[in-house]
Amino acid sequence: MSVGIEHFLTVGALLFCLGLAIALSKRNAIGVLMGVELMLNAVNLTLITFSRFAVSERPITGQAFAVFIITVAAAEAAVALALAVSVYRNRETVDVDQLNLLRS
Amino acid sequence: MDGFGVTVAFWILAAVTLVAGGGVMVSRNLLHAVLFLILSFIGVAGFFVLLSAEFIAMAQVIIYVGAITVLILFAVLLTPRASRDNSETVWALPGMLLAVCLAAIFLFVVHDTQWKTVTDAPLLTTQDLGHALLGTWVLPFEIASVLLTAALVGAIMLTRSAEEEAEDALA
């Protein structure tokens, strides 16, 4: 019994959809952010899988792209959590369904 | 990828990653969800080791497990009067339906495609990654550093309180 590209891609796809479900359904903004982080992780897993398995001239490109995704994820997490803290200071809540100030 | 060890490691890592991801979904306490998230990140780092991407695995452990989850824990601690529960909004059911449909499409595509794969793993070292980052991808690499600086300054600006800004205006 061997493990092939389909196995890794399946785990990546399932992890992405799990993250999507979390990001779409959670009430707490920090919970939504956790879903987004899971989705980014799943994308990284898929990229590294292709870098390992795919027939390519320069397979290192997948890993280089993963480094950039990790960088952008770190920046995104810092700004999003700063936004959550800032919103909490003004509204005393970080529930995304309470933040309806712009609703007419 | 043959070998008994690789197969066992794959299935254990898949179980850990997906069960921990499910734990983020179902746990009611937000802090428990963060702990499950750490476990899921460690599982993905194990996958990176299995795919012989050691540098990415190390970066995953340092940045995700070390930095981002600590940042999330700080954000939870800095919002003390906000609700700590990890409940769903009214969009939970449509969101889960969408995720299930997307998963079905992904799984169909993954298993229907005839993947052209290499038989032997390409020999990719950290040295190759360094050459790629500072050679081919040097411009995105520098832009990423500018992005990190901008995010740092932006996060500090966003979280400054009104008193701190008033003190700066006096000084």
Side-chain angles (χ1 to χ4, degrees), chain B residues 18-103:
Chain B
L18 292 176
V19 168
V24 179
M25 187 77 189
V26 298
S27 61
R28 295 293 76 177
N29 191 325
L30 199 61
L31 286 173
H32 296 170
V34 179
L35 297 181
F36 275 120
L37 191 73
I38 294 177
L39 196 58
S40 191
F41 285 163
I42 291 175
V44 175
F47 275 120
F48 291 162
V49 172
L50 205 60
L51 292 164
S52 49
E54 315 90 15
F55 179 80
I56 310 289
M58 197 193 66
Q60 165 93 4
V61 170
I62 292 176
I63 296 175
Y64 274 103
V65 182
I68 290 185
T69 46
V70 171
L71 211 59
I72 293 177
L73 281 175
F74 263 109
V76 173
L77 296 178
L78 285 174
T79 55
R81 279 189 296 273
S83 60
R84 283 286 166 80
D85 71 319
N86 198 20
S87 59
E88 280 86 19
T89 58
V90 290
W91 290 95
L93 197 62
M96 282 177 209
L97 277 178
L98 181 67
V100 167
C101 292
L102 199 65

Side-chain angles (χ1 to χ4, degrees), chain A residues 1-3 7 10 17-18 22 25-28 37 41 52-53 55 58 61 70 73 81 86 88-89 92 95, chain B residues 1-2 7 10 21-22 25 41 44 60 63-64 80-81 83 86-89 99 103 111 117-118 121-122 159:
Chain A
M1 191 171 157
S2 66
V3 180
H7 294 79
T10 303
C17 294
L18 199 58
I22 292 170
S25 64
K26 287 300 175 194
R27 169 168 287 144
N28 197 308
E37 296 296 339
N41 253 281
R52 160 70 179 74
F53 284 103
V55 181
R58 282 187 293 181
T61 307
I70 290 179
L81 292 173
S86 181
Y88 172 78
R89 283 219 180 108
E92 296 250 322
D95 292 356
Chain B
M1 286 167 87
D2 295 323
T7 310
F10 172 83
M25 187 77 189
F41 285 163
V44 175
Q60 165 93 4
I63 296 175
Y64 274 103
R81 279 189 296 273
S83 60
N86 198 20
S87 59
E88 280 86 19
T89 58
H111 290 280
T117 56
V118 290
T159 47

